[in-house]
Amino acid sequence: MVRILGINGAIRPGSTADRALQFTLGRLASLGADCVTFDIGQLPLLDGRPEGQYPEAVGAWRAACREADGFVVAVPSYHGALPGGLKNALDFIDAPEAGGKPFLVVAIAGGDAEPGGTDVTRVLRHIGAVAGVPDVVVSRAADQWGKGAEPANAELGAAIERATAALMALAGLRAEGRLPAP
């Protein structure tokens, strides 16, 4: 079974990013994925201390990433970039945890969502993850997503359907050992 790790870059449960993540993970589960999430809000700041001095949450984060065949990252944009907590979480992982694994970025913001999504894609590619799935960009989220659990815009829902199908195909190849390792 394909395991997908969902990451809420907004941290706050119930946020638009969280609702987008849950919707996307629901689509993946309907395709047969085992979907899990990790609360990156429990991670300390990466500050260069020796490995053994970080709390257990860091090890649990790295293990969750290692066990995943692919990732879904819900990315809000704050001031034209990804949130600091998400960047901090990504800084704790590297090729052993993310290398060779496909990811789907769902960028979502009240204004322009693209910058945060681009930031996350760049960081994940830098540590060896596979950018083989088109990003889903939800700008003007109040209009495009709305207040519900599902997108208000039917085209957005269709874009998520296509992206989740592509992620499942790549994550399936990863689970079968058919994607090259970094």
Side-chain angles (χ1 to χ4, degrees):
M1 177 176 278
V2 171
R3 175 167 271 207
I4 302 295
L5 177 60
I7 305 160
N8 177 8
I11 299 175
R12 183 173 49 90
S15 66
T16 308
D18 187 46
R19 288 182 281 131
L21 176 64
Q22 297 308 318
F23 178 80
T24 304
L25 293 175
R27 302 289 70 75
L28 287 159
S30 74
L31 295 172
D34 174 26
C35 298
V36 296
T37 59
F38 189 92
D39 175 12
I40 63 171
Q42 63 184 305
L43 296 172
L45 290 176
L46 178 70
D47 60 9
R49 69 183 97 160
E51 284 298 312
Q53 293 181 10
Y54 284 107
E56 286 189 28
V58 173
W61 164 241
R62 288 176 175 152
C65 291
R66 270 192 310 276
E67 293 166 4
D69 296 305
F71 307 103
V72 174
V73 187
V75 184
S77 282
Y78 297 124
H79 302 293
L82 79 159
L86 179 55
K87 176 63 166 82
N88 183 66
L90 295 176
D91 285 342
F92 274 111
I93 62 174
D94 211 326
E97 295 84 17
K101 296 179 183 182
F103 62 90
L104 166 59
V105 168
V106 179
I108 191 160
D112 183 9
E114 188 276 330
T118 298
D119 289 344
V120 169
T121 296
R122 182 175 31 84
V123 171
L124 285 171
R125 288 182 66 205
H126 185 79
I127 59 177
V130 177
V133 177
D135 295 344
V136 176
V137 179
V138 187
S139 296
R140 298 179 322 282
D143 298 330
Q144 301 302 313
W145 195 275
K147 296 181 187 249
E150 298 186 7
N153 180 324
E155 290 178 27
L156 177 55
I160 290 172
E161 293 286 341
R162 289 189 301 275
T164 55
L167 181 62
M168 277 297 288
L170 284 174
L173 291 173
R174 168 69 183 178
E176 295 168 3
R178 294 174 47 198
L179 282 183

